[in-house]
Amino acid sequence: MSQVKTDWINDTEGLSPEMFQIVGVDTTKDRVLRPHISYWQDAWRRFKKNKLAVFGLILLVILIFMVIFGPIMAKHSFEETNIAESYHPIDGEYWFGADKLGRDYFARVWQGGRVSIIIGVTGAFICAFVGCIYGGIASYFGGKIDSFMMRIVEILSSIPYLLVVILLSLWLDAKGIKTLLIAMCLTGWTGIARLVRSQMITLRQSDYVLAAKLLGVRPLKIVTSHLIPNTIGLIIVNITFRVPSLIFSEAFLSFLGLGIQSPDTSWGALCSAAQTVFTFKPHLMFFPALCIALTMLAFTLMGDGLRDALDPRQRK
Amino acid sequence: MAKYIIKRILYMFLVLFIVVSTTFIMIHSIPGDPLTATVENLPEATRANYYARYGLDQPLMVQLFRFWKLFLTEGSLGESLKFPGRLAEEFIVKYAPISFQLGIWGLVIGVTLGMLLGINAALHKNKLPDYFGTFVALLGTCIPAFVLAALVQYFFTVKHKWFPTAGWGGAIYYVLPVLCMTLSPVATYCRYMKSSVLDVINQDYILTAESKGLPRGKIIWRHVMRNTLMPIVTMLAPSVAGLLGGSFIIESMFAIPGLGTYFVKAINSRDYTMVVAMNFLFTATYVFSLLVVDLLYLVIDPRVRLEVKQNRRAVASNVPSEN
């Protein structure tokens, strides 16, 4: 076996300086043709292309505007009773008519909307927050702790959801926003916890996280720049779909008489009260029902759009 | 395989035990009790007798123990507090079949219709069936059951007297309540089926099947359907529980003598025994349907069978929480 030459610097046999001339670089070839777009810019761009989703967003903005300013625009307070105006028809003063006790229905519908939307949005965020932390912890520790935590989730989600709500509202002996929120969030977070956990576990085993680890990226940096951005889309979509389901549940409970109590009101409570006089005063049912339907529509359309827009696999 | 099934069944009983015990403790810790109104004007000794009769003078854990003992030895759920002398299971045997019938009709019709609409929509994407499916799905997600019930009652019973407004009797009394209960499952299953089918028909094995010349019907039946059934089966368990819960409103609006009506009444009058008994039934239904879903996986999906054989499968499967 011959000795391998190791004198790389002085051994220039067969090499000439001409071989090391720059032959020229085609600077136009590798130029980036499109401007750099971040994930969120790209998602927004794709969201805007989806006409139905944009319609949902606009609808939601209008509804939120009305919910905030509606009670102020009305000529009477939502609590002000006036028996003389009982079932006042729709006119310039009572834009949506008046209810049995002569309360301005326009003000009541939007006041009820405040309660419904607050419950929906706050509830969804609480569920998402708790679910993310729980799912994150479970997937971070893994092994026995993970399977124990997931067993708890399974048992919690085996309890009929309606029952928890009914029992809790009786147990706390208070019917109102706070009780409804606690009751609905108590088991509501399990879905998101599962979602976050399974997503985190898949991501941790993915090749680019492995690559990042090999390159010596710090764990915190991996979490913030790989794990969270890849999960946040799913979480946002889940929140968007949870809001209408919470509004629905609230309406359902208020309809059964377990939710918001008079004089405070919500869309579900309004529908419930209107049901008895539906044959004679259908508009009392129509307005709150329409509001529920429009809110559902807005969130569903937006959720569909966001799901498509935030899915990184669909990015081109 | 047998070991897995046995483990799965034991797990079901464990969950049932925990949930029912928790409910028992929860309902008993609600402030106020069912006898307050009855015994208000009675002398002290009679009052004490009353409480002793229902075992309410005992510590909570003793009551819980007695409840399980009574159930396991005699199969009884206890005596109703509001209807002295009547046992909780009598109510269940009498009224549960009505609720279950309604729920099952609603579910079967809803799931079948929803799946058909969904498949049709996915196979004709961006054509009329697709738009129709999307429209129905949106309608179903946007309209609360109680609004639909009110509308349906108004048009079909008040304006045109085609159907009875409320009550319970022959087949004609089923039509409107079942109609109201189908809308939500139709919407849900249509949406899921559509996205599921779209996922599958873009897979390579469908392309392979097409390129080797399989007829279209066979591709849909053997390749598309089998693979889309998984997510649908997963959703069935919460749907069963949801329909039973959802029937509360329908039952009360159509004055149907089902469990839902009694459940709300029992809760409002603090009839502990009845609440615990009905919750027992609902939880059992739900947990049992979860078991059935898990066993169905074994039948449908060969991958699950493999997992079970290699002992890699957890005892309980993940069910999406769709309310």
Side-chain angles (χ1 to χ4, degrees), chain A residues 175-196:
Chain A
K175 291 168 179 171
I177 295 189
K178 230 190 278 169
T179 314
L180 279 176
L181 264 181
I182 297 175
M184 290 198 276
C185 292
L186 201 74
T187 53
W189 56 270
T190 51
I192 291 190
R194 268 185 186 147
L195 187 81
V196 169

Side-chain angles (χ1 to χ4, degrees), chain A residues 214-241:
Chain A
L214 288 176
L215 287 170
V217 179
R218 279 170 292 122
L220 191 68
K221 177 89 177 150
I222 293 182
V223 171
T224 53
S225 66
H226 292 297
L227 298 186
I228 291 179
N230 275 298
T231 322
I232 197 93
L234 275 179
I235 295 170
I236 291 176
V237 173
N238 196 299
I239 290 177
T240 337
F241 283 124

Side-chain angles (χ1 to χ4, degrees), chain B residues 69-132:
Chain B
K69 197 179 144 201
L70 186 69
F71 178 70
L72 293 175
T73 51
E74 291 172 36
S76 170
L77 291 165
E79 185 184 348
S80 162
L81 298 178
K82 280 285 154 181
F83 303 96
R86 294 183 70 177
L87 295 170
E89 62 266 24
E90 280 174 27
F91 282 90
I92 288 182
V93 169
K94 194 166 171 200
Y95 299 116
I98 298 176
S99 291
F100 276 101
Q101 262 175 17
L102 261 189
I104 286 169
W105 274 110
L107 191 69
V108 168
I109 298 177
V111 172
T112 323
L113 262 181
M115 279 172 69
L116 287 177
L117 275 176
I119 298 173
N120 210 15
L123 293 179
H124 302 95
K125 198 170 161 30
N126 293 331
K127 283 187 206 141
L128 195 65
D130 185 15
Y131 297 133
F132 180 68

Side-chain angles (χ1 to χ4, degrees), chain B residues 106-107 110-111 114-115 180-190 239 243:
Chain B
L107 191 69
V111 172
M115 279 172 69
C180 295
M181 291 178 79
T182 17
L183 190 67
S184 155
V186 164
T188 321
Y189 284 88
C190 177
S239 283
L243 262 191

Side-chain angles (χ1 to χ4, degrees), chain A residues 154 162 166 170 194 252 300, chain B residues 11 191 248-249 267 279 319:
Chain A
E154 272 151 22
L162 178 77
I166 294 175
L170 285 175
R194 268 185 186 147
F252 173 68
T300 313
Chain B
Y11 181 77
R191 279 171 72 111
F248 283 14
I249 277 186
I267 284 184
N279 174 48
V319 171

Side-chain angles (χ1 to χ4, degrees), chain A residues 147 150-151 154 197, chain B residues 4 7-8 11 294 304 307-308 311-318:
Chain A
S147 57
M150 281 301 123
R151 282 301 96 79
E154 272 151 22
R197 172 185 167 268
Chain B
Y4 169 77
K7 237 163 98 181
R8 185 66 190 75
Y11 181 77
D294 264 12
V304 175
E307 266 182 32
V308 167
N311 223 348
R312 281 192 290 120
R313 191 163 178 78
V315 207
S317 56
N318 282 340

